[in-house]
Amino acid sequence: MSSPLFTISVLAVFAAVACIVLGAVALARGVPRDDRKFLDPLPPQLERLWPAVNFIRFYLVSALPESFHRSAEATVSRSGLKHLLRGDDLLAIQALGALFFGFLAWWAASVLQQASVLPLLGGLMLGGVLPRIKLSDYHKRRQGQIMRHLPIYLDYLHLSVGAGLNLSGAIKQATDYGPDGPLKNEFMVVLRDIRAGASRRDAMKRMGERVNIRMLTQLVRAIDQADRQGTSMAKVLRIQSEQITKSRFQRAEKQAMETPVKLMGPLVLFIFPTTFIVLLYPIILKVLQAT
């Protein structure tokens, strides 16, 4: 009696798995092809996951409220990865990460015989937050590179405008000879927007909103004010260059003054105990031998 029941159970499991696979294939065929004509190629690691990202974006992310889409789009824009990702892509990657880490946490809890809802919730939260953390780290590194290159590009702009070029020509010279990096890419986007028909004021304003760094925003406002009032652009750029250089030195001095305070933790936790052990061990050993 047990053999027919076992056979029926196995057939039922195979039938259920087959239905799930066929249903997933049918749903995957309903996902439209992702149009990335105006976006950069994906990294190899992300390209392998992209079919799953498309699937989740089409069936799950599209049902989310509009506020989620706006927030994700703003996050991608601030990180400087708008040429690679869209806001919906970020939401789909977060959902995929939440599913993966949630399943991993549930499986680990089952293996350890600690089945509970808490590991599952922890895995879901961790998988959903990790892409945002990674994007935030990339954003901070990008802002640091922009701050390092901004004085160099301001010098190029100041010299080019002082030599008789207009601001668009000065930006072209700066992108031709300036160091590679995110700031160069942003100025190239400004030139592309101007060639596409946008005014120079709007193109610079959009760059300030994308980068969202106080010094660059001040530069954009100063250039806009010089355009409106007819002030000498070379003088404005020279003043901005001096201010940014001074602010950079002040920030470096502040970081140098904070270094001893930051070193106190490693000194107290690691270096001082090791030093005391090395110094006191021979003394303690002699005392023990003498007694």
Side-chain angles (χ1 to χ4, degrees), residues 64-138:
L64 293 175
E66 187 63 28
S67 59
F68 284 75
H69 297 269
R70 288 197 299 268
S71 174
E73 195 69 35
T75 301
V76 173
S77 179
R78 285 195 302 269
S79 66
L81 291 176
K82 206 169 183 180
H83 60 282
L84 185 66
L85 295 175
R86 294 157 295 201
D88 292 350
D89 297 333
L90 175 61
L91 292 175
I93 292 171
Q94 286 185 264
L96 183 62
L99 291 175
F100 175 75
F101 279 95
F103 172 78
L104 195 63
W106 172 81
W107 176 79
S110 300
V111 170
L112 297 174
Q113 297 181 352
Q114 299 290 332
S116 172
V117 140
L118 292 178
L120 178 61
L121 292 177
L124 291 173
M125 292 178 62
L126 178 64
V129 170
L130 273 179
R132 292 269 184 165
I133 294 175
K134 184 69 175 176
L135 213 60
S136 177
D137 291 340
Y138 179 84

Side-chain angles (χ1 to χ4, degrees), residues 4 6 14 16 29-30 50 53-54 66-67 71-72 82 97 100 113 128 131 144 148 151 227 230 239 267:
F6 177 76
F14 275 110
R29 287 178 177 174
W50 209 246
V53 173
N54 283 335
E66 187 63 28
S67 59
S71 174
K82 206 169 183 180
F100 175 75
Q113 297 181 352
R148 284 195 299 271
D227 273 339
I239 294 173
L267 283 172

Side-chain angles (χ1 to χ4, degrees), residues 177-246:
Y177 299 103
D180 294 332
L183 186 57
K184 179 177 181 178
N185 297 335
E186 290 294 339
F187 277 123
M188 291 177 71
V189 171
V190 170
L191 292 175
R192 186 186 65 191
D193 290 346
I194 293 173
R195 295 192 192 102
S199 65
R200 188 175 66 192
R201 182 182 304 164
D202 292 339
M204 294 290 292
K205 184 179 179 181
R206 282 201 289 266
M207 181 183 70
E209 292 173 352
R210 284 194 306 270
V211 176
N212 195 24
I213 294 178
R214 182 177 58 85
M215 291 184 181
L216 191 60
T217 304
Q218 290 176 353
L219 173 64
V220 171
R221 290 175 180 171
I223 291 174
D224 184 29
Q225 188 175 5
D227 273 339
R228 291 175 182 272
Q229 298 179 355
T231 312
S232 171
M233 189 64 68
K235 183 179 179 180
V236 170
L237 291 173
R238 179 177 58 80
I239 294 173
Q240 289 295 315
S241 178
E242 292 174 354
Q243 288 181 350
I244 288 177
T245 303
K246 186 182 298 184

Side-chain angles (χ1 to χ4, degrees), residues 152-153 156 172-179 184:
I152 301 172
Y153 275 87
Y156 276 116
K172 180 66 171 60
Q173 289 293 317
T175 55
D176 287 341
Y177 299 103
K184 179 177 181 178

